[in-house]
Amino acid sequence: MTATTIVFDLDGTLIDTAPDLVESLNHTIAARDLPPVGYEDLTHLVGQGARVMIQRAFALRGAPLAEDEIPALLDRFIDHYEAGMPGKSHPYPGLVEALDRLRSAGFRMAVCTNKMERLALPLIERLHLTGYFDAIAGGDTFAFRKPDPAHILATVERAGGAPDKVLMIGDSINDILAARNGNIPSIAVPFGYSDVPVEDLGASHVIGHFDELTIELVERLTR
């Protein structure tokens, strides 16, 4: 029997990246003399990758942004983010213990994030988490991304898993909607960057801490 593949989002699910995202975004928009954003703005900005985050920051500040201005701003963001990585970013409490527990039970695990591979892969590596995952897919790995369920399923295929034995874990509407669109059971976590209560996202289950991510829960949701 093929083991269940547990697919995790990255920012706001596995890793608290808020301090570094905000710092790099503010460095980026400072090029246009825009006022900095704060942590309270983050839930409205993240979820679709750096390009969209920059666009949303400009919209938040009511500043015009031409399409041909984006590449230079994106490069500015990436250069700053990469230079400081992993910065203040850190795994959420209980995560490493949960990964150890799930790996010991024989589950496959993967990361499916809208963060570009160039930023996701080294972040996971520098936090010493790469070895837990059978596949890591970014927002630019395939021709689609969450909330398209194909992003999850292609990640599972890359991990060597079966499409009918999948569990998605995330913190935002893109994660849970991708799972719902693919008829995939899901778990929502409330400590990430959702701009609405995660209880309203329609996940199969909500956990408040990774201590609650038990083998029994995974088996119940995927049977």
Side-chain angles (χ1 to χ4, degrees), residues 1-201:
M1 182 180 297
T2 303
T4 293
T5 304
I6 305 170
V7 181
F8 295 86
D9 176 48
L10 181 58
D11 296 80
T13 300
L14 290 175
I15 309 298
D16 183 0
T17 53
D20 301 305
L21 290 175
V22 168
E23 183 178 321
S24 293
L25 183 58
N26 283 334
H27 172 78
T28 302
I29 65 177
R32 286 278 300 271
D33 298 321
L34 298 187
V37 302
Y39 296 122
E40 67 278 5
D41 301 313
L42 200 61
T43 58
H44 303 287
L45 301 173
V46 301
Q48 292 286 354
R51 172 185 289 267
V52 174
M53 187 161 58
I54 292 166
Q55 292 172 312
R56 289 174 175 174
F58 271 73
L60 185 67
R61 293 292 177 248
L65 178 62
E67 187 66 27
D68 61 4
E69 296 178 278
I70 296 176
L73 290 168
L74 185 59
D75 287 344
R76 181 178 172 94
F77 177 92
I78 291 171
D79 289 346
H80 187 272
Y81 191 77
E82 282 184 322
M85 194 181 294
K88 299 175 182 176
S89 296
H90 59 274
Y92 283 103
L95 173 69
V96 172
E97 293 82 358
L99 295 178
D100 284 333
R101 181 166 61 246
L102 297 170
R103 176 62 77 196
S104 296
F107 294 112
R108 297 176 187 270
M109 291 187 287
V111 176
C112 179
T113 174
N114 281 346
K115 198 186 201 83
M116 63 178 64
E117 270 196 21
R118 176 179 169 184
L119 301 180
L121 294 176
L123 176 62
I124 295 169
E125 174 67 31
R126 292 174 195 179
L127 291 172
H128 310 292
L129 298 174
T130 305
Y132 287 106
F133 302 109
D134 299 288
I136 299 171
D140 54 351
T141 303
F142 308 110
F144 35 76
R145 57 166 61 186
K146 298 176 295 184
D148 190 332
H151 196 181
I152 299 175
L153 294 173
T155 302
V156 171
E157 182 179 13
R158 178 171 285 199
D164 59 343
K165 295 285 287 184
V166 183
L167 175 65
M168 179 71 206
I169 302 177
D171 69 302
S172 71
I173 185 60
N174 281 331
D175 306 315
I176 306 309
L177 186 57
R180 288 168 52 194
N181 287 341
N183 197 29
I184 295 166
S186 61
I187 294 175
V189 297
F191 38 73
Y193 311 137
S194 177
D195 57 355
V196 299
V198 294
E199 291 79 7
D200 297 340
L201 298 179

